[in-house]
Amino acid sequence: MQRRYITVDVFTDRAFGGNPLAVVLDAGGLSTAQMQAVASEFNYAETTFVLPPRDGAHDAQVRIFTVNKELPFAGHPNIGTAFVLATQVAKRPARLKFEEGAGLVPVEILQAEGRAVGAELTAPQPLNKLTSFNAAQAAACISLSPADVRTDRHPPLIASVGLPFLMVELASRDALRRAKPDASAFARIFPCDGSDAVYLYTRDVPDAEGCDLQARMFFPGLSGLTEDPATGSATVAAAALLADLSGERDGELKLRVGQGVDMGRPSLLLTRVRKANGAIVSAHVGGACVQMMEGTFRLEGEG
């Protein structure tokens, strides 16, 4: 059977930026093992597989795979998949609802001049704050000193709105630039609370970079620890965490988050978190997308 795929760069408005994603549009009949093999073949951070929804009120079931495992939820795969689906129909939807392991994920289609240009997702779960670590433990994971880690707003801790990450605030843009993963220190912390990845961010951002935070994310790839150019699930969790810690009781808190700059794939992620009576009502992350490649591969289903 011929199966169509489209690749897209996510969280960027230009080719060869952002985070690449492969979207397999004709995934019916594929087994879990086949999906994993296809994702490993593409060798992107994630590959998505679009299936008919279990509930007719929804638009699709979306399964998300890294090169070595399936995820219950992820950011740029939702943004990119929604963008791709919106470009494949004559009547463009304003919103899509995806069934995923973490729950139902609503995704709004961003439009400009009558065409889809990106998407924005709503996190499927409320903020969950889990295990905390000290500055020395977190710093060791990323080859920095404890003095490079800020703890005045929060200690390094695992947080999730659908997929857990170790959140670490750094004191300076220079520290963020110098960070690199240390495998032995990683192994002392992970896996923990279902997480195997660390998300670093700093508020120390030069005006020229055009954002409120700069971030990086390290995780286990096919051949060791690697870096992700844009991580929507971590970014929206960080935005929710910072909104939870802020003094505002009501309103919408927005952030522009840069990522991928230090690895040559600049990305811009736009977050907004709604609060009412001191509680988070919803958390969102979105951005632009650029279609890159399309094609087919032949694979009979065995699912």
Side-chain angles (χ1 to χ4, degrees), residues 211-236:
C211 54
D212 303 302
L213 308 177
Q214 276 287 0
R216 300 177 72 182
M217 194 278 276
F218 299 115
F219 70 105
L222 197 59
S223 56
L225 295 172
T226 189
E227 183 169 1
D228 199 37
T231 317
S233 50
T235 304
V236 69

Side-chain angles (χ1 to χ4, degrees), residues 140-257:
C141 274
I142 48 179
S143 307
L144 296 177
S145 72
D148 290 317
V149 176
R150 286 190 67 161
T151 59
D152 51 317
R153 279 207 289 191
H154 66 82
L157 83 165
I158 294 176
S160 173
V161 290
L163 192 66
F165 295 86
L166 173 59
M167 302 284 172
V168 182
E169 180 173 5
L170 298 183
S172 68
R173 183 68 180 86
D174 177 64
L176 185 71
R177 191 176 293 110
R178 288 187 283 110
K180 58 183 180 180
D182 180 281
S184 61
F186 246 75
R188 290 194 292 271
I189 285 184
F190 300 112
C192 181
D193 297 331
S195 176
D196 61 1
V198 58
Y199 179 81
L200 333 169
Y201 74 91
T202 184
R203 292 176 274 168
D204 177 40
V205 182
D207 291 342
E209 294 192 354
C211 54
D212 303 302
L213 308 177
Q214 276 287 0
R216 300 177 72 182
M217 194 278 276
F218 299 115
F219 70 105
L222 197 59
S223 56
L225 295 172
T226 189
E227 183 169 1
D228 199 37
T231 317
S233 50
T235 304
V236 69
L241 174 64
L242 295 178
D244 184 63
L245 295 170
S246 73
E248 292 89 346
R249 292 187 52 80
D250 299 280
E252 189 171 72
L253 290 79
K254 296 183 178 182
L255 290 171
R256 300 163 299 158
V257 183

